[in-house]
Amino acid sequence: MSRNNSTINHQPSTISFSHFRADFPILSREVYGQPLVYFDNGATTQKPTCVLETIQRFHNEINANIHRGVHKLSEESTREYENAREVVRSFLNAQKTSEIIFTSGTTASINLVAYSFGEVFVHQGDEVLITEMEHHSNIVPWQLLCERKGATLKVLPFDDNGELMLEKLPELLTLRTRIVAVTQVSNTLGTVNPVREIVRLAHSQNIPVLVDGAQGVKHGIVDVQQLDADFYVFSGHKIYGPTGIGVLYGKEEWLDRMVPWQGGGDMIATVSFRKTTFNELPFKFEAGTANYIGAAGLATALNYYSNIGIDAATAYEDELLRYATQKLTQIEGLKIFGTARSKAAIISFLLENIHPYDTGMILDKMGIAVRTGNHCTQPVIDHFGIDGTVRASLAFYNTFDEVDRLVEALLKVKEMFR
Ligand code: PMP
C-alpha cells in the first residue's frame, strides 16, 4: 500500500528534513538487500558525520589525558573537555558549568544520585516516589537505595492510555518523601509527562525531583531553569552523540551536600592515608579518566541538533507520529499501547496475536529495524498483561515513505500468519 492510494493525506511538513539524511552515513546502507529503515531511535540514535569527525580529529590530533598534564596536548584536550561542559550548560540553560557532571550515561547519572543523594538524605522509614512507567534504570537504583536504608519505594500509577494519574500525586507526596524520580518521556508508551507540574507539586512540599531526560532531551528544547528540576539526566547516544557519555545536571545546592559516588583520581583535593579531601564541583563526581573524547563528540552533536532547529525537528517528528498513528490504526488487528494526549514519536504496538519477536524478526528481513520485548520497562508491559510490544521510535531523519514501508511490511506479516 503506497501513500498515493491510501485514504490518508498527510500534510506535507512545512520544513523538509530529508536532506539531513545525507549527514548520517549509516542511513544509506542496505539490510538484506533493502534500504535500511531505522526505527530504533529510542534505543540509540545514529551519528552525523560531524560527530564522527570530531571523534577522529580528537584521536588524530589532540589525544592526551585531561586535567593532569603540563604539556600542550593535555592542555588542548582539557580545553576541549571543558568547552564541551560549557556547550552542555548552554544547551540545558543551566546556570553554571559546575552543575554539569559528565557520566557514562543516564543509568550512571541516576545511580550516582541514588547513591550520593540517598546516603545523605534518605533514612529508615523514608520514601522515594517513582512512577509505573519508569525505565529499569530509574527503578532499580532507587530499589537498591531503599533496601540499603530501610526506606519504601512508592509508585505513581498510569492509566490505560499511558497517562500518569496525577490526581493521585498529592496523596503519594508525604512528609517522608525524600525525592521524586520521573521520566520526561516514556520510552515504551511515548507519553510526554507533565514534569513541570510534577516539579511544582513536589516543590510545594520541598521535595526535590529528578527528571530522566533519556528520551525527552531530544523532544523540544530543554531549559532546566524553567523546568526547575533538581536533577536532569540524559545519554549522549540518544541525541545523535557518542555512546559512553552522559550528563547529570544537578542544582549546586544539592550537589554540594551530596557525598562522592566513586573514589579515584581527579575527584580529590588531597589524599593521605589519614584523610582525603574532595575536589570542588563538578570534579567531585568525576572520578578517574573521563570520557573526554565522548564529551567533545556530545558537544558537536548538541551543536548540530541546535543548528538544525530542535523545535522544528520535534514538530516534524510529531507530524510523522500523527501520520504513522493514523496509518497503523487502519491495520485491522493492530493495537497501539500508549495513546496519551501528549506523545513523542514512539509507537508500541501488537499485531493480532503474533508474538512481537516474530513481527520484529520478519520486519528485520524487510530492512526495517524496530525493537521488541519489554523495552526495560517490565512494569509497563505487566500493566497491560502482555508479553511485550513491537516498538517503532522515530527521529527527524525518518520519512513518511519509511512509515509507508512499515505499514506495507506489517500487512505482509499479517498475510504470512493468516
Ligand atoms: N531512561 C529511559 C527513559 C530510557 O529510554 C533509557 C534507555 N533506553 C534509559 C533510561 C537508560 O539509558 P542508558 O542505557 O543510555 O543509560
Side-chain angles (χ1 to χ4, degrees):
M1 184 162 66
S2 80
R3 200 159 67 233
N4 294 343
N5 53 26
S6 104
T7 52
I8 296 163
N9 290 316
H10 74 80
Q11 297 294 313
S13 177
T14 41
I15 310 153
S16 167
F17 275 85
S18 53
H19 58 284
F20 289 115
R21 287 178 68 82
D23 294 340
F24 295 81
I26 202 170
L27 295 180
S28 56
R29 73 162 278 183
E30 294 193 339
V31 170
Y32 300 113
Q34 313 258 9
L36 166 70
V37 174
Y38 186 75
F39 279 162
D40 197 16
N41 296 285
T44 200
T45 54
Q46 300 302 346
K47 324 300 169 203
T49 303
C50 57
V51 169
L52 307 174
E53 282 174 354
T54 293
I55 294 168
Q56 187 159 24
R57 181 184 58 86
F58 211 125
H59 280 112
N60 286 347
E61 298 174 18
I62 306 175
N63 182 44
N65 209 333
I66 53 169
H67 291 156
R68 293 185 269 272
V70 289
H71 59 82
K72 180 77 177 150
L73 294 191
S74 178
E75 186 195 303
E76 286 181 11
S77 209
T78 303
R79 197 180 325 125
E80 294 267 349
Y81 183 62
E82 293 306 329
N83 280 348
R85 201 189 303 279
E86 167 54 25
V87 170
V88 174
R89 185 209 63 74
S90 158
F91 186 84
L92 295 179
N93 193 32
Q95 257 178 14
K96 303 171 182 174
T97 47
S98 54
E99 295 177 320
I100 304 297
I101 291 150
F102 282 118
T103 66
S104 62
T106 303
T107 303
S109 298
I110 297 172
N111 275 276
L112 191 164
V113 177
Y115 179 83
S116 301
F117 174 93
E119 273 309 286
V120 181
F121 296 103
V122 178
H123 303 289
Q124 174 128 20
D126 285 343
E127 293 165 6
V128 171
L129 180 62
I130 60 170
T131 86
E132 193 187 1
M133 68 170 76
E134 299 310 314
H135 188 279
H136 295 163
S137 64
N138 204 22
I139 301 175
V140 184
W142 303 113
Q143 248 167 359
L144 292 171
L145 166 68
C146 287
E147 272 169 30
R148 207 167 65 241
K149 293 289 188 153
T152 306
L153 191 68
K154 294 239 181 146
V155 181
L156 176 68
F158 63 80
D159 65 20
D160 288 344
N161 292 322
E163 293 187 7
L164 287 176
M165 298 168 92
L166 227 52
E167 67 280 8
K168 291 192 187 292
L169 186 56
E171 76 198 50
L172 284 165
L173 292 172
T174 74
L175 289 173
R176 300 309 302 255
T177 312
R178 292 292 167 256
I179 190 165
V180 176
V182 56
T183 192
Q184 191 178 15
V185 170
S186 160
N187 64 306
T188 301
L189 303 169
T191 313
V192 179
N193 286 321
V195 279
R196 178 70 196 92
E197 177 65 4
I198 293 170
V199 169
R200 202 185 56 72
L201 280 165
H203 281 184
S204 69
Q205 297 186 45
N206 297 320
I207 301 165
V209 179
L210 176 143
V211 172
D212 173 354
Q215 300 293 334
V217 69
K218 80 175 180 62
H219 188 79
I221 291 168
V222 176
D223 180 332
V224 288
Q225 291 190 62
Q226 198 252 325
L227 182 61
D228 204 21
D230 302 272
F231 303 99
Y232 186 89
V233 300
F234 71 94
S235 301
H237 71 99
K238 290 187 199 281
I239 185 163
Y240 315 110
T243 45
I245 186 78
V247 169
L248 161 63
Y249 156 80
K251 285 185 185 167
E252 202 175 62
E253 61 184 278
W254 290 113
L255 294 176
D256 262 341
R257 288 183 283 163
M258 285 159 52
V259 293
W261 179 39
Q262 294 180 319
D266 240 24
M267 54 76 74
I268 49 87
T270 61
V271 177
S272 77
F273 291 120
R274 199 174 45 81
K275 186 173 168 57
T276 290
T277 58
F278 303 118
N279 206 339
E280 60 191 12
L281 290 174
F283 312 111
K284 175 171 120 181
F285 292 108
E286 293 183 355
T289 296
N291 182 0
Y292 48 89
I293 300 186
L298 173 60
T300 301
L302 297 181
N303 284 332
Y304 171 83
Y305 195 38
S306 299
N307 287 339
I308 67 164
I310 297 171
D311 279 340
T314 304
Y316 173 77
E317 284 180 16
D318 288 347
E319 274 183 38
L320 270 183
L321 171 71
R322 269 194 299 280
Y323 180 67
T325 306
Q326 281 178 318
K327 295 276 289 209
L328 289 172
T329 41
Q330 282 189 341
I331 300 177
E332 227 184 291
L334 186 143
K335 180 171 164 45
I336 292 178
F337 296 86
T339 49
R341 283 161 294 181
S342 183
K343 272 192 74 172
I346 293 171
I347 310 176
S348 267
F349 61 89
L350 282 176
L351 186 57
E352 297 182 329
N353 55 2
I354 304 167
H355 195 280
Y357 186 69
D358 291 331
T359 307
M361 289 280 283
I362 299 168
L363 290 178
D364 175 50
K365 295 290 178 292
M366 296 190 242
I368 302 172
V370 292
R371 190 145 291 247
T372 63
N374 65 34
H375 319 296
C376 296
T377 58
Q378 221 165 297
V380 173
I381 299 303
D382 291 347
H383 177 108
F384 293 103
I386 52 180
D387 287 338
T389 70
V390 180
R391 182 186 74 181
S393 48
L394 319 184
F396 68 84
Y397 44 60
N398 290 125
T399 65
F400 292 93
D401 288 329
E402 288 181 318
V403 172
D404 289 342
R405 267 188 63 197
L406 173 67
V407 172
E408 273 169 43
L410 287 169
L411 290 173
K412 280 192 196 140
V413 174
K414 240 181 95 163
E415 211 44 53
M416 287 169 74
F417 279 84
R418 183 147 289 158

